[in-house]
Amino acid sequence: MKLNEKITLVSGSPRRKQILEEAGFTIIIRPTDTDESFDPSENLYKVPEIPARRKVEAALPQAGIIIGADTVVIVEGEILNKPSDYEEAFTMLKKLSGKAHEVVTGVCISDPNGIHTFSDCTKVHFKTLEDAEIDYYIKKYKPFDKAGSYGVQDFIGMAGIERIDGSFYTVMGLPIHLIYSQLKPFITWEENK
């Protein structure tokens, strides 16, 4: 597989980098520092598209393909962003404990055909978490860079998630199936010899 355009990922997330590279893409990392605030009256399911688009627009004009993304956790009509400290992380995980919530990852891609913004939603079902499990997780994994205070690929995801309805990669931070579809027109296939 060969992409005919260079890809710039405007995110410092090691998970997004990992997903793109494991999907076979060669990328350049250039995080942009942008405002992640949003209007509280905004549709909760469209909120992550706003900072994703801001990140891409901050990198323009630039040749090739630019990918920006943002992830939010929605539980009981409330967005849980990244926690600022231990107490906030603990409160968020207690809120998620024993319930289903939704993880929405918004993506913005600038390519030679224009700017495209979309999102994907996955429902995650958590078992009831013990306080000791939450405490251990926060102290060991320090999930302060993760929406909802957890990483699906970390201990709490392994021990606490009973079921996922949707894409695992959307929960991890990048709906790669949708990104691949968007990038497919720029891919050529080389014969294995």
Side-chain angles (χ1 to χ4, degrees), residues 13-23 27 153 172:
S13 164
R15 293 160 301 278
R16 292 188 180 118
K17 175 183 184 287
Q18 176 190 351
I19 292 168
L20 284 165
E21 288 178 342
E22 287 182 3
I27 59 172
Q153 72 283 357
M172 201 169 161

Side-chain angles (χ1 to χ4, degrees), residues 9 19 26 30-31 38 45 55 57 61 73 75 83 98 104 110 118 126 130 134 136 152 156 180 187:
L9 176 64
I19 292 168
T26 301
R30 283 215 182 93
F38 60 91
Y45 297 89
K55 290 172 187 178
E57 288 173 344
V73 168
V75 62
V104 182
S110 171
F118 52 88
F126 259 93
E130 296 175 13
I134 295 172
Y136 166 79
V152 66
I156 211 78
Y180 176 79
I187 294 173

Side-chain angles (χ1 to χ4, degrees), residues 23 25 40 44 62 82 90 107 110 123 150 156-157 180 193:
F25 298 109
L44 297 182
Q62 184 173 308
K82 298 169 188 168
F90 195 94
V107 177
S110 171
K123 193 168 198 175
Y150 79 93
I156 211 78
Y180 176 79
K193 295 182 181 178

Side-chain angles (χ1 to χ4, degrees), residues 80-131:
L80 302 183
N81 277 317
K82 298 169 188 168
S84 57
D85 55 27
Y86 174 93
E87 288 74 24
E88 193 173 8
F90 195 94
T91 301
M92 285 183 185
L93 289 168
K94 284 294 278 186
K95 197 172 282 196
L96 297 175
S97 176
K99 296 179 191 147
H101 63 275
E102 292 168 302
V103 178
V104 182
T105 297
V107 177
C108 182
I109 298 179
S110 171
D111 63 37
N113 296 329
I115 296 178
H116 319 276
T117 307
F118 52 88
S119 55
D120 193 49
C121 181
T122 295
K123 193 168 198 175
V124 179
H125 301 262
F126 259 93
K127 74 175 189 74
T128 300
L129 302 168
E130 296 175 13
D131 287 358

Side-chain angles (χ1 to χ4, degrees), residues 34-38 47 51 54-55 70 81-82:
T34 54
D35 177 18
E36 294 190 8
S37 65
F38 60 91
V47 162
R54 285 180 189 149
K55 290 172 187 178
D70 193 65
N81 277 317
K82 298 169 188 168

Side-chain angles (χ1 to χ4, degrees), residues 134-191:
I134 295 172
D135 177 69
Y136 166 79
Y137 175 69
I138 296 169
K139 287 178 177 171
K140 179 166 175 66
Y141 291 89
K142 302 181 181 5
F144 307 115
D145 65 336
K146 295 173 176 68
S149 302
Y150 79 93
V152 66
Q153 72 283 357
D154 295 339
F155 165 78
I156 211 78
M158 295 174 194
I161 293 175
E162 293 180 322
R163 188 171 87 242
I164 294 176
D165 301 325
S167 170
F168 172 87
Y169 295 104
T170 292
V171 183
M172 201 169 161
L174 208 60
I176 192 64
H177 62 293
L178 297 178
I179 290 170
Y180 176 79
S181 293
Q182 188 67 44
L183 299 182
K184 204 169 176 181
F186 307 103
I187 294 173
T188 55
W189 295 95
E190 301 168 326
E191 287 185 36

